[in-house]
Amino acid sequence: MTAHLMNRNRSSRPGTRRPAPPALVLVGHGSRDPRALSTVRTLMERIRELRPGLPVHLGHIELNEPLLPDTLAALGTGDAVLVPLLLSRGHHVKRDIPEAAAASSAHTRIAGPLGPHPLLVETLYERLVEAGWRTPDAAERRTSAVVLAAAGSRDPDAAVDTRRTAGLLADRLGVPVVPAYASGSAPTVADAVRALAARGRPRVAVASYFTAPGRFATECAAAAPGLASPPLGAHPAMAHLTLHRYDEALTNTLAATA
């Protein structure tokens, strides 16, 4: 720890150059929907505006170029922090990304997924408001609910993370929020809507818990009985959250080596 502080102090002396920060590598899932890549690129630009001088790169797990192994290969033996643009723990976070990092020559740290986090909840709330959600009065509150539509995963930790986000969003909205999934888990959005209606809550909105447009987001929105919010996208809070995960990974590394 002392050596680290000394090195940091030397780099801050007048006339010395601070070492370049580790690159930020955004790890997107990938999608055949061209809007997804456009959304991620917009997010990259917002991150660059917030943190000038930080090298920001993009690598996909599948379906889009550049693929993550290619992005890491281009970094050579440089330092990088990989930030998954994923909303919960699951196979990609636990296996695919670490395996790609281990196979590369780059010196990498892997940040946690974006969710759960209060900034995601605030983004979900604002997307709902953009779509037409208004705070229900006392009478409407008893008949209202929200379905949190997520991609889904067979990993139980992913469901835990999604349920936590649903709980935080319920606190924010003041109505029940039920998780539902496009694949890999139950219930589906349609099943969740029917179950809520059977419980006397026919006023149901669907909150799209996806980082970008794509097939799953489109299918979940189509199952909404009425209001459905757009994906989280390049909302300013997403850029701040991405940088928070980047900084968090660096801080955790320093703490582990102190």
Side-chain angles (χ1 to χ4, degrees):
M1 184 64 174
T2 302
H4 166 70
L5 291 174
M6 290 174 64
N7 290 335
R8 185 177 66 180
N9 289 338
R10 288 194 190 103
S11 67
S12 62
R13 289 174 182 169
T16 62
R17 179 180 297 177
R18 290 190 175 187
L24 165 57
V25 176
L26 301 175
V27 184
H29 182 278
S31 171
R32 293 183 177 88
D33 190 321
R35 296 174 298 169
L37 182 56
S38 175
T39 298
V40 175
R41 285 176 172 162
T42 301
L43 179 62
M44 288 178 67
E45 290 308 311
R46 289 193 165 168
I47 291 169
R48 288 173 175 144
E49 290 170 3
L50 289 171
R51 193 75 60 89
L54 175 64
V56 183
H57 304 275
L58 173 63
H60 294 95
I61 295 169
E62 59 183 0
L63 299 176
N64 288 126
E65 294 182 348
L67 293 172
L68 180 58
D70 297 330
T71 298
L72 294 176
L75 293 174
T77 58
D79 293 331
V81 176
L82 280 56
V83 180
L85 297 181
L86 302 169
L87 303 174
S88 61
R89 294 167 291 172
H91 184 82
H92 293 317
V93 170
K94 295 180 179 180
R95 294 284 301 278
D96 292 338
I97 296 173
E99 287 177 359
S104 76
S105 299
H107 299 283
T108 60
R109 306 166 180 85
I110 302 175
L114 298 183
H117 194 276
L119 282 172
L120 284 178
V121 174
E122 196 59 30
T123 305
L124 286 164
Y125 172 78
E126 292 187 15
R127 292 301 191 211
L128 282 167
V129 171
E130 290 171 10
W133 174 269
R134 59 181 177 81
T135 302
D137 59 29
E140 291 173 332
R141 198 181 300 272
R142 289 191 291 271
T143 61
S144 299
V146 168
V147 171
L148 183 66
S153 171
R154 293 182 177 86
D155 190 310
D157 286 337
V160 170
D161 292 343
T162 304
R163 285 196 298 270
R164 184 179 171 196
T165 298
L168 293 170
L169 185 59
D171 292 341
R172 181 69 174 84
L173 297 174
V175 300
V177 176
V178 175
Y181 305 96
S183 176
S185 305
T188 65
V189 171
D191 289 342
V193 168
R194 283 192 290 269
L196 286 166
R199 289 163 45 191
R201 294 187 179 272
R203 184 177 180 263
V204 178
V206 172
S208 184
Y209 196 40
F210 299 93
T211 54
R215 179 171 65 89
F216 283 168
T218 300
E219 291 175 353
C220 288
L227 184 156
S229 67
L232 302 165
H235 189 283
M238 297 291 285
H240 285 284
L241 178 54
T242 302
L243 285 170
H244 169 70
R245 292 300 190 212
Y246 170 88
D247 293 337
E248 189 177 57
L250 291 179
T251 300
N252 289 344
T253 301
L254 290 174
T257 58

